[in-house]
């Protein structure tokens, strides 16, 4: 029996909120990626790791907020927690690999293509693993061509977002890149959902089981709290607060301790002022 699918049971509420969450995670993660290119080598892994976790949490949160609006009329839906949280881990790890490649090799050429491809595949893997955690009295089938299209969308848009993040052109540029990342995640999600059909084994009484929103909301608390924490870190970053978006990249020479761009000015301020002499009488 063919199931009756409704992906928008709350109207435009879930797609809009889901897109905004994907943009939030993208903005935080891509800003961290940009910031990592302006600091000494010792600080770079920390910023890249924070960016990876922010983007991974953002796309995972986006997916399951969108899934709050997904229903099958003839069958209640449940979610396996282990598989659901495993999809979060896959998203963070694969996005992290892509971001670390771009963060260390630069957003150009083979490094950009490799990083964007891996990041896009991370978005797609998270989506389909998350769908594998959905439990109902039936089986899911996908149209192969549409699934392939969803993966291509994710890879292309993720590559574009990482390229924009690598330009190091300030906070507004990173926000623009986050809109592209949000488009990648949302476009991939709804294209993938368009590929889905549900074949039921039987029917359940109408209204049985909890709503998807009631099932998924508790699982979203942790990632949402992390995104808020990451937002605080990025918000109070001196590079953003002071408005200095064009500090030069800090390069560390062999055998010379790394220093921040502010050090030279600080050192100049500690020098003794030169003595001034008045005009000498002749």
């Amino acid at each position: 029996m063919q199931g009756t699918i409704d992906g928008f049971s709350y109207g435009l509420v879930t797609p809009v909120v889901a897109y905004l969450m994907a943009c939030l995670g993208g903005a935080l993660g891509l800003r961290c990626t940009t910031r990592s290119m302006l600091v000494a080598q010792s600080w770079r892994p920390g910023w890249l790791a924070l960016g990876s976790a922010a983007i991974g949490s953002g796309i995972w949160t986006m997916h399951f907020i969108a899934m709050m609006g997904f229903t099958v009329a003839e069958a209640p839906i449940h979610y396996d927690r282990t598989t659901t949280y495993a999809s979060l881990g896959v998203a963070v790890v694969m996005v992290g690999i892509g971001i670390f490649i771009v963060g260390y090799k630069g957003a150009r050429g083979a490094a950009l293509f490799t990083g964007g491809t891996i990041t896009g595949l991370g978005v797609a893997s998270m989506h389909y693993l998350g769908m594998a955690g959905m439990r109902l009295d039936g089986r899911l089938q996908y149209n192969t061509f549409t699934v392939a299209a969803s993966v291509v969308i994710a890879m292309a848009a993720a590559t574009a977002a990482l390229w924009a993040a690598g330009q190091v052109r300030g906070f507004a540029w990173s926000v623009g890149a986050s809109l592209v990342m949000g488009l990648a995640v949302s476009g991939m999600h709804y294209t993938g959902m368009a590929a889905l059909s549900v074949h039921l084994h039987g029917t359940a009484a109408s209204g049985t089981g909890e709503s998807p929103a009631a099932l998924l909301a508790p699982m979203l608390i942790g990632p949402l709290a992390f995104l808020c924490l990451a937002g605080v870190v990025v918000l109070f970053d001196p590079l953003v607060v002071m408005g200095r978006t064009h500090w030069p990249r800090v390069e560390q020479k062999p055998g010379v301790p790394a220093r921040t761009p502010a050090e030279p000015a600080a050192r100049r301020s500690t020098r003794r002022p030169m003595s001034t002499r008045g005009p000498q009488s002749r």
Side-chain angles (χ1 to χ4, degrees), residues 63-64 67-68 70-72 74-84 129-138 140 198 200 204-205 207-217 219:
H63 172 84
F64 285 103
M67 290 305 294
M68 287 182 176
F70 178 83
T71 59
V72 179
E74 298 84 0
I77 298 175
H78 304 281
Y79 290 88
D80 178 70
R81 288 181 177 270
T82 302
T83 308
T84 299
L129 183 57
M131 293 299 294
M134 190 168 62
R135 300 288 183 263
L136 50 76
D137 188 19
L140 309 182
V198 178
L200 300 173
T208 59
E210 294 184 89
S211 68
L215 292 170
L216 292 171
M219 291 190 280

Side-chain angles (χ1 to χ4, degrees), residues 211-268:
S211 68
L215 292 170
L216 292 171
M219 291 190 280
L220 294 172
I221 294 175
L224 286 173
F226 173 79
L227 287 173
C228 292
L229 178 61
V232 171
V233 172
V234 172
L235 180 63
F236 287 97
D237 173 47
L239 193 66
V240 177
V241 175
M242 296 175 64
R244 301 184 64 179
T245 59
H246 297 288
W247 276 345
R249 182 194 299 270
V250 178
E251 299 291 348
Q252 183 174 356
K253 298 179 180 180
V256 178
R259 64 188 184 187
T260 64
E263 276 191 66
R267 291 186 179 182
R268 285 196 298 271

Side-chain angles (χ1 to χ4, degrees), residues 16-26 57-59 61-62 65 224 227:
V16 171
V17 175
Y19 174 73
L20 292 176
M21 291 308 304
C23 291
L24 173 62
S57 298
I59 63 178
T61 303
M62 175 272 154
I65 287 178
L224 286 173
L227 287 173

